[in-house]
Amino acid sequence: MSARLFSFHGGVKPEHHKNESAGSPIRPAPLPTRLIVPLRHNTRAVAVCRVEPGQTVLKGERIGDAEGVLGTAVHAPASGTVVEIREHPMAHPSGLATTCVVIEPDGEERWVPHQPYDHLASDRQSTLNYLRDSGIVGMGGAAFPSHVKLGAGSGIETLVLNGAECEPWITCDDRLMRERAVTIIDGAIILFELIGARRILVGIEDNKPEAIAAMRAAAADCKAPIEVVAVPTRYPAGGEKQLIRVLTGIEIPHGKLGGEYGVQCFNVGTAHAVHRAIRHGEPLLSRVVTLTGNAAQPGNYEVLIGTPIADLLPLMQPKPGTDRYLLGGPMMGFALPDLSVPIVKGSNCIIAASQALFPEPEPELACIRCGECARACPADLQPFELYWYSRSRNFGKAQEYHLFDCIECGCCAFVCPSHIPLVDYYRFAKTEIWARERENTAASQARDRFEFRNYRIEREKAEKAARLAAKAAETKAKLAKTGEPVAIEKGGDDKPAVSSDDPKKALIAAALARAKQQKAEVEARNTTDLPPETAAEIAEIDARRKSLDLSSKATSTASSTPNQASPPSVESKLPQANDAADSTGTAVHVNEERK
Amino acid sequence: MNMRSFRENAYNGLWKQNPGLVQLLGLCPILAISTNMVNAVSLGLATILVMAVANLAIASLRNFIPYEIRIPVFILVIASLVTIVDLSFNAWLHELYLVLGIFIPLIVTNCIVLARVEAYAAKNDPISSTIDGVMMGLGLVWVLAVLGGVRELIGGGTLFSGIDMIFPSLSPIQVFGDGYHDFLIAILPPGAFFALGCLIALFNWINMRAAARAARRPKPVTAVSDAEAASAG
Amino acid sequence: MMTALLIMAGIAVVLGAALGYASIRFKVEGDPLVEKIDAILPQTQCGQCGYPGCKPYAQAIANGEADINQCPPGGEEGIRHLADLLGREFKPLSEEHGVEKPKSVALIDEQTCIGCTLCIQACPVDAIVGAAKQMHTVVEPLCTGCELCIAPCPVDCITMEPVQETVETWKWKYPVIKIKEEA
Amino acid sequence: MIHSPYIRKPASVSSVMLTVLLALIPGIAMYVWQVGAGILVNLLIATIVAVAAEALVLKLRGRPVLLGIGDLSAVVTAWLIVLCFPPIVPWWITVIAVLVAIIAVKHLYGGLGQNPFNPAMVAYCAMIVAYPSLMSQWPPAGGLDFQTQLGLILGGMRDIDAVTAATALDAMRTGLRTGAGTIDAVMTQPTFGTLGGRGYEWIALGYLVGGLILLFRRTITWHMPVAFIVGLASTACLFWLFNPAQFASPLFHLASGGAMLAAFFIVTDPVSGATTPRGKLIFAAGIGILAYLIRAFGAFPEGIAFAVLLMNMCVPLIDMKTQPPVFGQRSRKLP
Amino acid sequence: MTRYTAARTSIRTASIMVIFTLMFTSMMSLTYRATRPAIEASQFAERMRLMNEILPAGAYNNPLLDDYVELGPTPELGLDRGGRIYRARRDGEPVALIIEVVAPDGYAGRIQLAVAIDPTGRVSGVRATNHAETPGLGDYIDPRKDKERARPWINQFTGVSFQEVGEESWRVRRDGGVFDYRIGATISARAVTMATGRAARFALTHHVALFDAKAGSRLGEVTE
């Protein structure tokens, strides 16, 4: 209890509005008529579907396999029948659709066979794979795969458990800690053992005294070095990096994971899910969601992943005046474009919004560079400069001012006296920059491929010329025997492609030509010139013969590309360019777990 | 040399490529001497002379000047001409020289002369080059006259002050009378920038309006009729 | 008088010689401008500009042979960038070279395709794979949407499909500044 | 579509500006008490002209007029202009100054938030350069009744020399330049009070009180006033220690001229000033130092306005070079 | 066209450059020669006009411009590199000294003045011969630019005696002296006034030595 606390720069203190829902215990939400389980977790990771429409699935049965570095598995949240696999709007501000598995639950809740997993007896990698196949991701909001976090870095000193829950209105973690402190602590100890940390710090904002008390009680019962720390209530103290800073003083730069700095952070919900997966063998099928806002019955519900949000709304009984629903907190959440979107692993809260609670912002005024935003920014950015450059589409400058360090926490827009939607400008600039990067990558790829194609065509021409030259030389040799040297020499000079003055080159050309000739003996000689002129004609007249004719040409083209002499740098450049694009993309997309 | 290219030269010099408002060349003398109208116009006239002669000289000699050393040669020619003008004024037009004396050598540093020599005279025949020099000079003169007049009027409440030094029979006009408090900043260097800025803004505004009107009208306006409108106004 | 002439002549000799020397010795070879223009062009290699690819068009712009408004895939934004780079005035896209279209990729109707390989030869970026008498497929990420494969196809089995927005490519909109007149 | 955050702090530009106006009231009250009510006439004129000019330009630019006027920034500019000017300056100088500030300095650059220069200071500089004589006529404290002041402002009286006096700074400068002797000898003139100009030192106190209100309300941060005062006072102190007979004391410099007004109301203008914390310190200290140098060695007795404009020009550079390290980029990674 | 080597190009450009230089430099020098007499005549006339403005034409009858003494550097008159003093005589009797004096403390730098003073210290006339004072503000020291055409400011010195006014009062009013100044432009007036005063004192103290010196001679150190 004597831990020294650090502070992060900036932050704001909005009204917390926790009391509305904090008092009601977690209740299970009723089974919906249809579960819509997205195969996509976030913008980057998509699971590979392994079920077919009409198939019967058991509760907890895997329906999607993890793919890629950031992939995790997807499971059926309830037993029933796969009705269809279709595009359905996902929980994303764009409201765009993604592939979802639609399951009609049979209500029998028949579990797939499962048993506890002994992580102490298994090697580390298989435990990580087990967690991946149990679909464990961060429950704070960004749904970052936990096995990736656990796999990154070694020599981790501190495991931080994030129970700060700093966004207003949200109380799902608060309730979880109050009611299931023991399982959370157990999950934390599993994580602790997996990464081999030396201590566990649980950070909880000091406006949740019941949760702190419950967690302390649970921590006191176990032997692991756990300390439950009350951190000052200040948004965004629950931001992963901010909480690490507050508890340990370590600052993790943008694009880096905590593992490199000897600290790793997990949400309390994640710890709970890890406990379920290891001790009970249950994959991640449900999560606690806060239903609150302009509602008669705000509360916390245990909701199956894939439950359409529309099905949850009756539980909280929205009051009249509700004009939209927010997913997530009011600082970082978004208004749902469509109420049929399903709850996913990162959905922590649904707020019924009304004009009284969340009024329309006042009209945007000019920025007066008062610097309030810079004072509130927890990432120590200069938001007004970012705004200036994003607004004028000067994206290079915006990046110079560390646009991508922005965590979109909304503090700047919260304090802005000119009511500028600052974060919207940053989001706009970020997606615009990504789009441009994609375009540039595509353009340079196209340029390289185009140049390579030109090079290839040139080479083929040169080879043809060389072949002809070799033939001519042969004839010349033949003729030389018969004694007509002068005329032949002229003939040789007429081919500028092969410089006959260099004997070595001529030798190589001759050799090439010989090799080529052997191959070309089966080839039709005039194919290069043929297609444009006669294509239509041939197509009409004799499809069969034409295709026969061309088939040899096509195979020669295909075979010549990879096999023959390596072109200047182009081939080697291509894969590299792709790799670079991938890695920048990855760095850019790494989101932070937050609530 | 036909009428058409003469009109084009005139339109370019007086309006479209006006050295003071569009090319923004020779800002140093423009800003420095436009404190009153008489000084401004007088220097403008001297500039016309230099530009016309320099363009004529370079256009005549252009085939003998290698590309590599064209700039030193141009400057040499211009500087010599300016010196000759300076000396001649001093000897035979001494009254005018007293007013303009310190400004005439400034013409050497006026980029507009070098710019026209480089951009036009080095590529065109002597006659149209001379006309170009005169027209560019006239374009500069009217800008200078407006600028000098405005600054003098606002800054001192007078017009044509100093005219008595050139024509002793004439005297300056006190436009606002004795009670006028001189708005000194107009005559001081900042005033030159403000006045030129406003003039450029006005110029652009007129052009934009003309373009908008031309776009509305079904038949596009030819350059020649615009030139007439410009020289008339 | 003589002294003045001699001094001037001396200066003239030195400067003239230095400039002449410099003009030969420090001549800059190559044209970085072409690279800069090429970087702006969209690299669809569609040839709508009248040149066989983006690089030749860049070369032509740099030489002053082609205008900056001949690239429909680059669109208005591309023309604006070129105008900025070259210090020219913006002008609308030249109609004879085509119109700006949403970005599309070619799609080969697999039922109709007879495997003639004509489109393979037409593709400037080798984005179509297949062999004779085999069905061909467009490698979608590589396709620049140049439409050059459409004309050669004898059975008209290639269509251009606009690229759909996905969650990955979705962009936040520019915040609309709402100015509300009060009272 | 409105995006997050969906909640906002109840803050607005107009409330900031209103606080600034309220904080100016102690200084104005002192002004009326010590020098006379003439200043109120000019304040009224300036306010009306500023609001009218703002409305006109907004209308011409097609911007919402009421929203623009409602932010009160034009009124703040107008008040600051008047408070920098001699209180008996003819009404038309006030009008021209306000028009210059609102139209030329603010709106020609794009309106509120876009002007690189402090409008009030540009207006002051333009007027002192354009009308140096009228802009140097200050009424002695308590020397003129309201009737006379009104006559001077509205232009009835011409013989202005007879009723005015030099400011403390001007008298100090002239005294030292004409070789009238040392600081002590000059300070015996009736223009001087205990610290600065007689009467005017009370006004400075009024501004100080207002400034403390702003600090207390967190409308401004401590950086700029402190850096400005330290910059001015320490430079003055350096010269004063070097030669106390020829250079006035730091206290004199703080109490005379517009030092206090500048410290809390002028250098703290957010639009044209530096914004990063370190940048604020450099910016304001730079103004203090330059202001002293112009006062002591320049052509005009008061140098704050010129110093502000000079430092305004450096703001982009200062802000660029003083960006605080972003989260995670601090040199110390571990505490 | 053949390709030139660096050396050949250098020789070619250098020779063309020399031809042009010689051509135009000769043109310049010819013009210079042709215009020199006329220029000198104009300059002479100009100087005489100035002299006659501060010294009535009939007041002297010696060739004024030839009757001068050269001064070495004289800080008292602000002459860093020396100057000339012309001596006006009528039938051999001293009438006035015309002193070139520089006021170093003008608003915009140095103000050059020509001051005519009779041996008793009475100023006969003052003219600013060269200055850069602010147009419209400080340039009233030049009577041609003075808005008060009827009563130019600089004419107030005419006929004023240095001895009568006294050194203490030879200042502008603002500094406690007797001379007028224009509101807002005290510095110019102050500079001219003080420089005129210094010239008058110089003339008063040194007039014997100055009138006695041989025409065209150079006075190194002026002594009593």
Side-chain angles (χ1 to χ4, degrees):
Chain A
M1 307 308 120
S2 60
R4 183 185 150 208
L5 287 183
F6 300 86
S7 173
F8 63 92
H9 175 266
V12 293
K13 290 180 180 171
E15 284 179 52
H16 55 74
H17 283 288
K18 302 271 194 192
N19 298 338
E20 281 85 342
S21 55
S24 70
I26 302 169
R27 280 168 288 174
L31 195 65
T33 50
R34 278 195 168 192
L35 287 162
I36 302 160
V37 186
L39 290 170
R40 178 188 286 278
H41 315 295
N42 52 35
T43 48
R44 297 285 294 170
V46 187
V48 184
C49 184
R50 53 184 278 171
V51 289
E52 282 168 4
Q55 189 180 330
T56 315
V57 288
L58 297 173
K59 188 181 176 90
E61 186 175 335
R62 207 191 300 173
I63 56 174
D65 277 332
E67 192 194 44
V69 188
L70 295 175
T72 46
V74 179
H75 303 80
S79 61
T81 321
V82 176
V83 186
E84 56 182 335
I85 293 162
R86 64 171 164 100
E87 298 286 303
H88 188 87
M90 68 180 284
H92 188 267
S94 66
L96 286 171
T98 191
T99 315
C100 299
V101 176
V102 183
I103 298 171
E104 216 165 65
D106 52 16
E108 293 170 22
E109 294 291 84
R110 281 173 291 123
W111 267 93
V112 78
H114 60 282
Q115 71 268 345
Y117 180 87
D118 188 0
H119 65 281
L120 294 175
S122 325
D123 70 301
R124 190 175 141 84
Q125 192 52 49
S126 44
T127 311
L128 295 186
N129 289 346
Y130 174 76
L131 287 178
R132 183 191 69 200
D133 294 339
S134 300
I136 307 290
V137 296
M139 305 287 273
F144 191 80
S146 299
H147 69 274
V148 177
K149 259 192 193 180
L150 288 168
S154 60
I156 287 171
E157 166 92 17
T158 311
L159 174 73
V160 170
L161 211 54
N162 185 349
E165 198 169 49
C166 56
E167 275 238 36
W169 295 97
I170 308 179
T171 56
C172 58
D173 287 355
D174 185 11
R175 284 311 314 184
L176 198 68
M177 287 187 288
R178 289 194 207 183
E179 298 176 25
R180 305 179 191 171
V182 177
T183 53
I184 292 171
I185 293 292
D186 180 61
I189 290 170
I190 296 167
L191 291 167
F192 167 80
E193 286 162 352
L194 274 173
I195 58 173
R198 300 240 302 273
R199 60 171 177 164
I200 303 175
L201 291 177
V202 186
I204 304 171
E205 274 193 342
D206 56 14
N207 61 353
K208 297 186 252 300
E210 296 92 341
I212 295 172
M215 291 293 281
R216 280 192 178 146
D221 295 342
C222 68
K223 287 181 203 134
I226 302 180
E227 192 176 340
V228 179
V229 185
V231 301
T233 302
R234 179 162 53 129
Y235 178 84
E240 181 181 77
K241 288 175 178 175
Q242 277 67 32
L243 186 67
I244 291 175
R245 162 82 191 156
V246 168
L247 291 176
T248 66
I250 297 169
E251 283 190 9
I252 298 159
H254 163 70
K256 296 276 167 59
L257 288 175
E260 293 176 44
Y261 296 84
V263 58
Q264 205 55 279
C265 179
F266 291 93
N267 184 263
V268 288
T270 317
H272 178 250
V274 167
H275 163 87
R276 300 296 308 172
I278 299 285
R279 302 288 185 222
H280 304 274
E282 292 175 11
L284 181 49
L285 302 181
S286 67
R287 65 155 298 136
V288 180
V289 176
T290 304
L291 305 178
T292 183
N294 187 38
Q297 292 289 324
N300 289 287
Y301 290 87
E302 175 117 31
V303 182
L304 293 179
I305 306 300
T307 308
I309 283 169
D311 287 12
L312 295 173
L313 300 180
L315 296 175
M316 64 166 147
Q317 299 167 22
K319 286 194 263 191
T322 303
D323 52 0
R324 67 220 129 113
Y325 292 91
L326 310 182
L327 182 64
M331 295 299 283
M332 290 187 69
F334 55 91
L336 287 166
D338 185 340
L339 289 181
S340 70
V341 304
I343 289 286
V344 292
K345 293 172 182 173
S347 320
N348 48 15
C349 181
I350 294 161
I351 301 176
S354 65
Q355 284 301 321
L357 291 173
F358 306 104
E360 288 251 323
E362 285 177 56
E364 179 181 340
L365 298 175
C367 168
I368 56 167
R369 295 173 66 87
C370 63
E372 278 297 325
C373 47
R375 252 170 279 162
C377 181
D380 297 86
L381 299 170
Q382 301 290 301
F384 55 94
E385 303 277 16
L386 291 176
Y387 156 70
W388 188 263
Y389 292 121
S390 304
R391 188 189 153 104
S392 55
R393 294 182 162 85
N394 191 344
F395 299 126
K397 268 294 201 191
Q399 274 172 290
E400 263 176 47
Y401 278 87
H402 310 285
L403 174 66
F404 285 105
D405 282 51
C406 169
I407 55 174
E408 299 178 25
C409 65
C411 288
C412 48
F414 178 79
V415 298
C416 180
S418 292
H419 318 296
I420 301 169
L422 291 159
V423 188
D424 285 5
Y425 283 99
Y426 311 149
R427 291 172 181 139
F428 157 74
K430 284 181 183 180
T431 46
E432 202 66 28
I433 291 168
W434 288 330
R436 275 173 204 212
E437 269 173 15
R438 276 196 304 271
E439 271 168 30
N440 282 343
T441 315
S444 66
Q445 197 179 27
R447 185 185 295 121
D448 289 345
R449 293 184 71 86
F450 177 64
E451 276 166 12
F452 176 72
R453 178 175 181 269
N454 288 347
Y455 162 80
R456 195 191 69 220
I457 291 170
E458 281 300 309
R459 191 185 58 194
E460 279 164 9
K461 261 190 203 156
E463 278 162 3
K464 204 168 138 191
R467 218 159 47 225
L468 289 172
K471 229 178 187 177
E474 216 173 284
T475 337
K476 179 179 125 187
K478 271 182 203 161
L479 284 172
K481 278 178 192 165
T482 57
E484 277 178 70
V486 188
I488 304 306
E489 234 164 22
K490 249 189 196 168
D493 279 350
D494 279 346
K495 310 273 179 288
V498 240
S499 47
S500 54
D501 54 316
D502 191 339
K504 264 188 192 170
K505 267 188 192 168
L507 266 177
I508 296 171
L512 260 176
R514 265 197 308 279
K516 196 74 198 162
Q517 205 182 356
Q518 280 176 350
K519 224 174 173 191
E521 262 160 17
V522 283
E523 269 183 36
R525 297 275 153 71
N526 56 347
T527 38
T528 22
D529 299 324
L530 177 68
E533 286 104 337
T534 51
E537 209 184 333
I538 296 169
E540 278 179 32
I541 297 170
D542 196 343
R544 198 173 154 65
R545 202 174 59 193
K546 179 208 68 186
S547 54
L548 254 177
D549 251 356
L550 287 167
S551 73
S552 54
K553 154 76 178 152
T555 39
S556 89
T557 314
S559 64
S560 73
T561 313
N563 294 344
Q564 291 179 0
S566 69
S569 79
V570 180
E571 269 180 350
S572 54
K573 238 158 72 187
L574 278 175
Q576 276 172 12
N578 287 345
D579 282 353
D582 271 356
S583 62
T584 52
T586 318
V588 146
H589 280 282
V590 171
N591 281 319
E592 282 166 45
E593 192 172 355
R594 143 180 332 286
K595 47 172 34 194
Chain B
M1 186 64 217
N2 55 21
M3 206 55 206
R4 196 187 152 79
S5 84
F6 173 78
R7 283 186 169 181
E8 201 171 303
N9 277 336
Y11 176 55
N12 273 340
L14 293 174
W15 192 261
K16 194 176 159 213
Q17 290 294 323
N18 188 297
L21 296 179
V22 179
Q23 303 185 55
L24 296 182
L25 288 169
L27 281 184
C28 162
I30 288 179
L31 297 172
I33 58 123
S34 59
T35 52
N36 69 47
M37 207 163 156
V38 171
N39 278 358
V41 172
S42 309
L43 185 81
L45 295 175
T47 312
I48 295 181
L49 187 63
V50 173
M51 282 183 75
V53 182
N55 272 10
L56 176 64
I58 298 290
S60 317
L61 295 170
R62 66 184 194 278
N63 294 331
F64 306 102
I65 303 172
Y67 181 80
E68 295 84 23
I69 52 164
R70 68 194 194 289
I71 302 284
V73 171
F74 295 163
I75 292 193
L76 179 75
V77 172
I78 295 166
S80 310
L81 289 172
V82 169
T83 311
I84 290 168
V85 168
D86 186 50
L87 290 171
S88 316
F89 267 46
N90 196 348
W92 298 303
L93 293 167
H94 195 71
E95 284 296 304
L96 196 56
Y97 179 78
L98 287 180
V99 183
L100 293 179
I102 55 166
F103 300 129
I104 290 177
L106 273 181
I107 299 173
V108 183
T109 66
N110 194 338
C111 331
I112 183 63
V113 185
L114 185 62
R116 288 326 290 176
V117 163
E118 159 86 357
Y120 196 91
K123 295 167 191 158
N124 289 285
D125 64 283
I127 298 171
S128 50
S129 298
T130 313
I131 291 169
D132 179 75
V134 172
M135 287 306 165
M136 284 289 159
L138 280 176
L140 194 69
V141 166
W142 81 254
V143 172
L144 278 168
V146 172
L147 213 55
V150 168
R151 288 180 67 191
E152 187 184 351
L153 193 65
I154 297 175
T158 61
L159 272 181
F160 304 112
S161 75
I163 190 125
D164 45 337
M165 288 198 277
I166 303 171
F167 304 106
S169 55
L170 301 177
S171 61
I173 309 168
Q174 278 284 352
V175 180
F176 292 137
D178 279 345
Y180 183 71
H181 289 275
D182 296 355
F183 190 67
L184 286 179
I185 202 162
I187 295 183
L188 297 174
F193 286 97
F194 291 140
L196 184 66
C198 292
L199 200 58
I200 292 173
L202 186 70
F203 178 85
N204 288 341
W205 182 72
I206 292 173
N207 278 345
M208 272 158 62
R209 269 185 57 116
R213 227 179 313 142
R216 272 203 305 276
R217 232 180 302 170
K219 201 174 64 180
V221 192
T222 64
V224 176
S225 66
D226 265 358
E228 278 164 0
S231 50
Chain C
M1 171 78 200
M2 267 331 274
T3 354
L5 278 178
L6 281 177
I7 291 172
M8 290 294 284
I11 295 172
V13 167
V14 173
L15 292 184
L19 282 172
Y21 182 75
S23 72
I24 301 293
R25 284 304 302 273
F26 303 130
K27 200 175 233 166
V28 180
E29 298 289 347
D31 195 357
L33 186 62
V34 176
E35 298 299 323
K36 282 186 190 164
I37 297 172
D38 194 43
I40 292 174
L41 296 175
Q43 304 301 329
T44 41
Q45 319 294 356
C46 61
Q48 290 183 72
C49 50
Y51 294 87
C54 294
K55 191 71 170 271
Y57 178 43
Q59 189 77 52
I61 295 178
N63 294 343
E65 292 158 16
D67 212 337
I68 55 173
N69 61 346
Q70 304 181 357
C71 177
E76 296 228 335
E77 202 190 340
I79 299 173
R80 261 177 227 289
H81 278 131
L82 286 175
D84 279 352
L85 175 71
L86 301 167
R88 299 208 203 147
E89 249 173 64
F90 169 81
K91 47 179 83 175
L93 190 64
S94 143
E95 278 173 26
E96 60 182 294
H97 293 101
V99 287
E100 197 175 346
K101 293 179 199 161
K103 184 162 164 36
S104 310
V105 289
L107 187 73
I108 294 176
D109 180 1
E110 301 173 357
Q111 305 304 313
T112 328
C113 176
I114 52 168
C116 68
T117 75
L118 288 177
C119 56
I120 295 183
Q121 292 159 51
C123 180
V125 292
D126 291 338
I128 306 180
V129 291
K133 294 201 283 176
Q134 312 260 319
M135 187 258 293
H136 303 334
T137 310
V138 178
V139 184
E140 207 180 300
L142 298 180
C143 177
T144 63
C146 67
E147 305 186 1
L148 288 178
C149 50
I150 293 185
C153 180
V155 289
D156 288 338
C157 72
I158 306 179
T159 47
M160 298 305 292
E161 294 290 323
V163 177
Q164 292 295 324
E165 194 174 42
T166 68
V167 179
E168 281 113 331
T169 58
W170 178 76
K171 293 192 283 187
W172 284 85
K173 302 291 171 292
Y174 188 77
V176 180
I177 302 151
K178 192 160 60 179
I179 299 174
K180 197 169 66 181
E181 258 291 38
E182 280 171 8
Chain D
M1 186 82 184
I2 300 152
H3 303 292
S4 64
Y6 293 92
I7 46 176
R8 283 161 181 278
K9 204 168 147 183
S12 68
V13 175
S14 50
S15 67
V16 172
M17 296 291 174
L18 192 65
T19 317
V20 173
L21 290 179
L22 291 176
L24 279 169
I25 286 182
I28 295 172
M30 285 291 184
Y31 223 125
V32 174
W33 175 44
Q34 285 291 328
V35 181
I39 189 93
L40 298 179
V41 180
N42 264 328
L43 276 176
L44 186 69
I45 294 170
T47 310
I48 293 169
V49 174
V51 171
E54 178 91 8
L56 179 75
V57 180
L58 287 171
K59 184 110 189 144
L60 286 176
R61 295 180 61 204
R63 302 292 162 100
V65 174
L66 284 173
L67 205 61
I69 297 173
D71 65 29
L72 294 179
S73 62
V75 180
V76 171
T77 305
W79 283 28
L80 290 177
I81 288 173
V82 172
L83 293 176
C84 303
F85 281 20
I88 50 165
V89 81
W91 64 271
W92 48 269
I93 289 194
T94 312
V95 171
I96 296 176
V98 172
L99 291 180
V100 165
I102 300 286
I103 296 174
V105 186
K106 191 164 140 191
H107 280 291
L108 282 191
Y109 283 98
L112 181 66
Q114 320 254 339
N115 46 306
F117 295 103
N118 187 321
M121 291 300 100
V122 175
Y124 177 85
C125 290
M127 291 302 115
I128 190 110
V129 174
Y131 302 106
S133 51
L134 289 167
M135 287 290 289
S136 338
Q137 310 298 316
W138 291 76
L144 297 181
D145 55 31
F146 183 63
Q147 208 68 36
T148 322
Q149 294 195 0
L150 206 61
L152 286 166
I153 293 168
L154 299 181
M157 293 180 66
R158 293 281 295 164
D159 192 12
I160 204 167
D161 254 10
V163 292
T164 62
T167 61
L169 284 170
D170 204 4
M172 176 69 71
R173 192 185 151 79
T174 319
L176 293 174
R177 285 226 171 161
T178 52
T182 59
I183 295 282
D184 292 335
V186 175
M187 287 282 276
T188 54
Q189 290 175 17
T191 314
F192 294 93
T194 331
L195 286 175
R198 194 160 61 82
Y200 287 91
E201 51 199 14
W202 285 104
I203 298 170
L205 190 68
Y207 292 139
L208 178 63
V209 170
L212 293 177
I213 294 175
L214 285 186
L215 272 178
F216 183 71
R217 295 281 312 271
R218 289 172 184 269
T219 307
I220 56 174
T221 60
W222 59 271
H223 303 82
M224 295 235 211
V226 169
F228 172 78
I229 289 171
V230 168
L232 180 63
S234 60
T235 320
C237 199
L238 213 66
F239 282 92
W240 178 61
L241 290 174
F242 169 67
N243 186 354
Q246 287 299 312
F247 294 100
S249 72
L251 271 180
F252 170 80
H253 275 284
L254 288 181
S256 45
M260 282 300 138
L261 181 66
F264 294 101
F265 297 93
I266 288 169
V267 301
T268 52
D269 170 41
V271 175
S272 56
T275 311
T276 63
R278 271 195 304 151
K280 281 178 176 174
L281 293 176
I282 296 172
F283 172 75
I287 294 175
I289 295 166
L290 282 177
Y292 180 82
L293 294 177
I294 296 173
R295 278 179 175 186
F297 306 106
F300 291 92
E302 177 59 296
I304 291 175
F306 296 98
V308 168
L309 296 190
L310 286 173
M311 290 309 290
N312 280 163
M313 286 192 275
C314 309
V315 162
L317 184 68
I318 295 175
D319 268 351
M320 195 175 80
K321 291 290 170 197
T322 58
Q323 277 187 75
V326 301
F327 187 88
Q329 301 292 331
R330 262 175 277 257
S331 48
R332 54 182 172 83
K333 288 220 175 68
L334 291 163
Chain E
M1 206 171 125
T2 47
R3 232 169 220 288
Y4 291 109
T5 62
R8 280 191 61 184
T9 316
S10 306
I11 293 167
R12 187 165 143 268
T13 50
S15 41
I16 294 174
M17 193 76 199
V18 167
I19 293 167
F20 271 97
T21 310
L22 290 180
M23 201 159 86
F24 281 89
T25 315
S26 328
M27 268 170 67
M28 263 193 287
S29 47
L30 287 178
T31 321
Y32 176 70
R33 288 198 165 181
T35 54
R36 199 163 57 179
I39 292 173
E40 278 173 0
S42 313
Q43 279 172 347
F44 179 79
E46 180 62 18
R47 295 186 87 92
M48 281 314 290
R49 201 177 55 77
L50 178 74
M51 294 295 177
N52 289 337
E53 268 187 30
I54 55 178
L55 203 60
Y60 62 96
N61 55 10
N62 63 329
L64 188 57
L65 289 180
D66 294 332
D67 191 1
Y68 62 87
V69 290
E70 292 273 359
L71 280 187
T74 316
E76 194 184 351
L77 297 179
L79 301 172
D80 299 338
R81 282 186 285 165
R84 279 182 178 180
I85 293 182
Y86 297 94
R87 299 172 297 187
R89 302 171 204 264
R90 190 184 172 87
D91 305 329
E93 286 301 305
V95 174
L97 290 167
I98 295 167
I99 302 178
E100 288 180 348
V101 54
V102 171
D105 47 359
Y107 184 75
R110 296 154 62 88
I111 303 173
Q112 288 180 30
L113 299 166
V115 184
I117 301 156
D118 74 9
T120 65
R122 189 173 296 276
V123 175
S124 158
V126 184
R127 279 294 176 275
T129 53
N130 198 350
H131 73 91
E133 296 303 280
T134 314
L137 184 64
D139 60 356
Y140 62 86
I141 58 169
D142 184 347
R144 285 178 300 183
K145 300 272 175 66
D146 200 336
K147 280 183 135 189
E148 304 258 335
R149 296 207 154 249
R151 216 165 51 86
W153 175 84
I154 202 144
N155 283 1
Q156 65 175 320
F157 295 105
T158 309
V160 180
S161 162
F162 186 71
Q163 272 179 318
E164 285 168 20
V165 172
E167 189 161 356
E168 277 305 302
S169 302
W170 194 279
R171 301 170 182 282
V172 292
R173 282 229 182 92
R174 184 147 178 179
D175 303 342
V178 298
F179 292 107
D180 280 337
Y181 64 99
R182 295 279 161 85
I183 291 166
T186 331
I187 294 171
S188 311
R190 184 182 290 143
V192 171
T193 307
M194 300 311 280
T196 308
R198 286 195 295 272
R201 197 179 56 203
F202 186 82
L204 206 57
T205 30
H206 301 301
H207 68 95
V208 183
L210 289 171
F211 273 109
D212 288 351
K214 218 173 99 214
S217 66
R218 187 181 168 83
L219 296 185
E221 194 68 22
V222 185
T223 45
E224 285 298 313

